[in-house]
Amino acid sequence: MNFNELNLSPELAQAIAEMGFTEATPIQAESIPLIMSGRDLIGQAQTGTGKTAAFGIPLLEFIEAGDPAASAVVLCPTRELALQVSVELQRLARFKKGIRIAAIYGGESIQNQFRELRKHPQVIVGTPGRVADHIERGTLDFSHTGMVVLDEADEMLNMGFRDDIEALLALMPEARQTVLFSATMPPPIMELARKFQQDPAHVRVVRENLTNTSIDQFYFDTRTSAKTEIIARLLDVHSLTRVIVFCNTKRQVDELVAELQEHGLSADAIHGDLSQGQRNAVLGRFRNGTLSMLVATDVAARGIDVSDVEAVFNYDMPLDPEYYVHRIGRTGRAGKSGLAFSFVTGRNEMRRLRDIEAYARMKVLRQDAPTLRDLRDARKLRLRRELAELIEAGDLGPFTRMVEGYEREGIDAQQLAAALLKLTLDRDPVARMSDEALLPPPRAPRKPDYPQPQYGNRRYREPVR
């Protein structure tokens, strides 16, 4: 099903087109018409199948611009997912004037959230603990809420949020529309559905294996300050000449391009702030080989079709497993092999990597950053190959006569060869950091859960993620 078959408002249709989407995923094609018809829905789908748009598109069509009430609520198990969902909804709503979306989750200044809520957002995306906190403080009111979405409901129940969710749903009007998405359907999920949904429609999507087996995938557990140095070393060790580096934000793209250029690397940016002419110029240089590194955001990279990309770098871990699959799919095309390198910093990104592995049904192997010795060994091997190719080509006449001249002067040919190798290889590789600086930082012990304010007769707790 194409999105133009869904009879969407012009504003949403324009946003979807500019995001580069034309064909709905299976979960979107089945869910959107049902939700737009007003049905409650139970959707079984993994992260990365497009379920955010599956509920986000009808949710935004349901919202009336300028309404001062919290018309729709999306509950998520973690702050990372809440932020991701709110960003995706904002992208979908970019042309719908008067629609405000607020992300409410623990770990962020509650004063900032107070300011956001005073703007009367129509859509609230949040974690159960922090949402309950705002209800207790009187800064959130669900008495006029017409739609609630439980995203990754099984994960919320696994984290102990069942009582929280039931208490929050009990505060909303009975006539609301309730949409539930879950990767699995254990009995507690079905009990929740029976208690809070009215004649729900059921949609189930089965995912296939997604990654190309010709792509070797590795990750580096390292600190943020070491990422650029590791990229430079990997380019040298693997003799890479055409790669794409992905970042999550336009600002990070620009900062990374500046750092790579300071390292003497040929890099340029592709993101939404560039004009079409600038984009075409950068892509042209990348295709003809005068530019070796393209640094891009996920949205800007849509439509890039270069068949001989040797490697993809995830400078930032993608916020959605689906993005990971799209990113690394830029290499290993047309029957060629490819490399995918990801940088993991901290526990949250390690959890994100495990989610990607579960989603794509594959294993990303841990690898240590190349050492200075690795760089020297790679240079020796590269020189040996180049020498063998020159000897095989046989066009060495002028240089052979030079060797004969040195021999007449009493310089042995073997000594001459050894001296030339020393001149070529006996210089340390250019490195701005020591090998030790590339190691991951020591992990601090996990902090205990922090207390949340009282709500009713229970204490709501949101685990530190």
Side-chain angles (χ1 to χ4, degrees):
M1 178 183 288
N2 290 332
F3 282 107
N4 58 17
E5 300 176 51
L6 292 173
N7 194 29
L8 301 177
S9 64
E11 296 86 356
L12 266 175
Q14 183 181 357
I16 292 167
E18 293 204 2
M19 291 166 70
F21 300 117
T22 56
E23 186 175 335
T25 67
I27 191 66
Q28 293 164 358
E30 294 192 49
S31 300
I32 291 174
L34 290 168
I35 300 174
M36 291 183 68
S37 72
R39 291 283 302 276
D40 285 3
L41 182 132
I42 299 173
Q44 185 172 357
Q46 299 283 349
T47 298
T49 52
K51 60 182 173 59
T52 301
F55 64 74
I57 289 172
L59 180 150
L60 291 171
E61 293 284 40
F62 158 79
I63 297 296
E64 290 191 16
D67 189 340
S71 303
V73 180
V74 183
L75 294 178
C76 305
T78 65
R79 66 193 72 178
E80 291 83 11
L81 182 59
L83 180 60
Q84 174 188 322
V85 169
S86 67
V87 169
E88 187 77 2
L89 292 180
Q90 286 165 356
R91 290 169 61 198
L92 288 168
R94 60 183 298 189
F95 298 112
K96 290 184 74 75
K97 304 301 182 183
I99 299 294
R100 293 176 297 278
I101 300 164
I104 304 298
Y105 51 87
E108 187 194 45
S109 167
I110 200 165
Q111 297 298 326
N112 292 340
Q113 294 175 4
F114 288 158
R115 285 192 289 271
E116 285 297 308
L117 293 174
R118 280 196 289 268
K119 298 176 184 177
H120 302 291
Q122 294 93 0
V123 183
I124 304 296
V125 184
T127 50
R130 182 52 66 94
V131 169
D133 185 0
H134 279 283
I135 290 176
E136 172 69 17
R137 295 170 184 264
T139 51
L140 261 181
D141 178 14
F142 289 158
S143 60
H144 298 284
T145 297
M147 179 185 289
V148 59
V149 179
L150 306 181
D151 194 9
E152 296 194 5
D154 53 351
E155 184 65 18
M156 284 195 283
L157 296 193
N158 289 339
M159 295 171 65
F161 285 136
R162 178 168 181 169
D163 290 344
D164 305 18
I165 293 169
E166 293 194 4
L168 293 172
L169 291 175
L171 294 173
M172 300 177 189
E174 290 186 10
R176 70 177 183 275
Q177 185 177 9
T178 305
V179 175
L180 183 154
F181 278 96
S182 182
T184 60
M185 290 292 162
I189 293 290
M190 302 311 297
E191 291 173 16
L192 195 68
R194 284 192 292 271
K195 187 172 182 180
F196 291 101
Q197 290 186 300
Q198 299 292 326
D199 187 29
H202 291 250
V203 173
R204 182 173 182 268
V205 172
V206 179
R207 189 191 61 245
E208 299 178 352
N209 292 331
L210 298 172
T211 55
N212 190 336
T213 56
S214 66
I215 303 172
D216 293 326
Q217 303 171 57
F218 305 97
Y219 77 90
F220 298 89
D221 185 6
T222 188
R223 58 193 79 204
T224 301
S225 59
K227 292 180 181 180
T228 304
E229 175 72 17
I230 296 176
I231 290 176
R233 294 191 182 193
L234 289 169
L235 294 177
D236 196 353
V237 166
H238 294 281
S239 302
L240 300 174
T241 59
R242 186 168 295 167
V243 305
I244 300 178
V245 185
F246 283 97
C247 302
N248 289 342
T249 66
K250 293 179 287 188
R251 179 177 179 179
Q252 183 60 69
V253 166
D254 289 333
E255 291 176 354
L256 179 57
V257 166
E259 289 182 27
L260 292 169
Q261 291 175 348
E262 286 180 8
H263 272 72
L265 299 172
S266 173
D268 212 339
I270 284 283
H271 57 60
D273 287 347
L274 300 181
S275 68
Q276 192 59 48
Q278 291 172 315
R279 285 170 56 89
N280 291 341
V282 173
L283 286 174
R285 292 167 54 214
F286 187 62
R287 287 192 176 99
N288 66 29
T290 57
L291 178 69
S292 61
M293 303 183 69
L294 192 65
V295 186
T297 57
D298 291 287
V299 175
R302 292 187 183 277
I304 296 176
D305 187 16
V306 181
S307 61
D308 52 353
V309 173
E310 299 163 325
V312 167
F313 290 84
N314 291 305
Y315 185 89
D316 295 323
M317 287 299 293
L319 299 176
D320 191 304
E322 186 179 14
Y323 290 168
Y324 178 88
V325 173
H326 288 315
R327 287 180 180 186
I328 71 169
R330 303 292 175 179
T331 187
R333 292 185 172 187
K336 298 179 181 179
S337 60
L339 295 167
F341 301 109
S342 300
F343 296 113
V344 175
T345 302
R347 289 193 181 95
N348 285 340
E349 291 197 348
M350 187 61 71
R351 280 195 293 270
R352 202 176 297 166
L353 175 65
R354 300 307 176 213
D355 289 342
I356 289 168
E357 290 179 324
Y359 166 67
R361 297 178 180 175
M362 52 76 195
K363 185 72 175 176
V364 181
L365 302 178
R366 187 185 187 281
Q367 195 170 73
D368 293 327
T371 64
L372 292 175
R373 181 173 181 175
D374 294 331
L375 296 180
R376 296 188 191 100
D377 290 344
R379 289 185 177 187
K380 291 176 184 177
L381 182 61
R382 190 159 52 244
L383 178 60
R384 183 174 180 176
R385 285 199 303 264
E386 292 171 353
L387 290 173
E389 290 171 1
L390 285 172
I391 293 169
E392 185 178 354
D395 187 20
L396 298 173
F399 303 100
T400 301
R401 288 191 290 274
M402 288 180 66
V403 173
E404 292 171 350
Y406 282 123
E407 285 181 322
R408 287 193 295 271
E409 295 173 9
I411 299 177
D412 181 75
Q414 186 175 0
Q415 291 177 325
L416 177 62
L420 289 172
L421 287 172
K422 180 177 176 64
L423 283 174
T424 304
L425 296 173
D426 199 25
R427 290 190 294 268
D428 284 336
V430 177
R432 300 194 175 196
M433 302 177 73
S434 67
D435 292 344
E436 290 74 18
L438 307 184
L439 298 174
R443 295 282 186 254
R446 292 183 68 89
K447 296 179 180 179
D449 291 355
Y450 56 86
Q452 293 286 335
Q454 294 287 337
Y455 175 52
N457 294 323
R458 291 184 298 277
R459 178 177 295 277
Y460 285 78
R461 290 181 178 272
E462 183 172 344
V464 174
R465 300 288 289 175

